[in-house]
Amino acid sequence: MSHDEEQSMNGFAMGRRVLAIMLGIALVAGAAYVFLSRPLKVAYVTLDGEATSTRCLRGKVVYVVFWATSCATCIKEMPDLVKTYERHAPRGFELIAVAMAYDPPEYVANYTRKHGLPFKVVLDKDGSIAAAFGGVNLTPTAVLIDKRRRILSRFVGEPDFGGSLHAAIERELAS
């Protein structure tokens, strides 16, 4: 094989690799789009014993936060979550605090009662709710859901309560 033929074959092989990588990226992007654009369908039971699901949230802007009583950042942000809920709830905003499967139910119930959390608190007893939201395993992790039950944004760690989070909620409530 001549030098020119060898270079041509190497270029062809590299082109195929680049094409395969681009195809892989497109498939991942497509899967992410489908996951994020489909309406969520998750059933859950609140601490108060109310059996419900995300289907009941159609027409509302929803913030779902995954938390644990052992998570210092989660506990630190709770007063801001209460203020966010109280500020936006009259306009069709819902907040659901999902306690992680490893959090002892009595700790969650005691914290909720002691601090008078005004929003729905849910125990994710078997991890199925965290799995339905894309395999959440870090706290705090939250998602903002639009009126058609589609995920708009995902937050890992404490969000910017004073700016971007409230702006996103306001924008969705106005739409």
Side-chain angles (χ1 to χ4, degrees):
M1 183 180 296
S2 75
H3 179 70
D4 289 340
E5 289 174 326
E6 190 174 319
Q7 278 189 321
S8 177
M9 291 296 286
N10 285 341
F12 180 73
M14 180 164 313
R16 287 182 60 177
R17 279 193 294 260
V18 169
L19 182 60
I21 290 169
M22 290 174 56
L23 182 59
I25 291 170
L27 286 172
V28 169
Y33 174 78
V34 168
F35 175 76
L36 292 175
S37 65
R38 68 178 165 82
L40 285 168
K41 295 177 185 172
V42 180
Y44 54 91
V45 178
T46 68
L47 269 184
D48 298 334
E50 176 189 358
T52 188
S53 76
T54 53
R55 284 190 170 160
C56 299
L57 301 172
R58 186 173 180 84
K60 294 185 176 194
V61 176
V62 184
Y63 189 76
V64 179
V65 61
F66 291 85
W67 70 294
T69 57
S70 60
C71 166
T73 304
C74 300
I75 299 306
K76 178 184 174 283
E77 77 175 11
M78 273 301 169
D80 288 320
L81 289 172
V82 170
K83 289 176 193 168
T84 299
Y85 176 76
E86 290 172 343
R87 175 178 174 180
H88 300 292
R91 296 182 41 222
F93 176 74
E94 189 69 53
L95 195 149
I96 302 168
V98 180
M100 298 297 284
Y102 58 80
D103 207 357
E106 63 275 11
Y107 289 14
V108 176
N110 288 340
Y111 184 89
T112 300
R113 189 174 36 260
K114 181 179 178 185
H115 296 279
L117 299 182
F119 41 77
K120 294 177 181 177
V121 177
V122 176
L123 296 171
D124 189 6
K125 294 178 183 177
D126 61 2
S128 62
I129 300 171
F133 280 86
V136 173
N137 52 26
L138 297 173
T139 58
T141 294
V143 294
L144 183 61
I145 302 170
D146 72 7
K147 293 176 183 178
R148 295 187 298 190
R149 302 183 334 252
R150 296 176 306 173
I151 294 175
L152 294 172
S153 304
R154 185 179 186 99
F155 306 88
V156 178
E158 188 174 7
D160 176 16
F161 284 102
S164 61
L165 178 60
H166 283 279
I169 292 169
E170 290 289 339
R171 202 171 30 256
E172 285 308 308
L173 287 171
S175 70

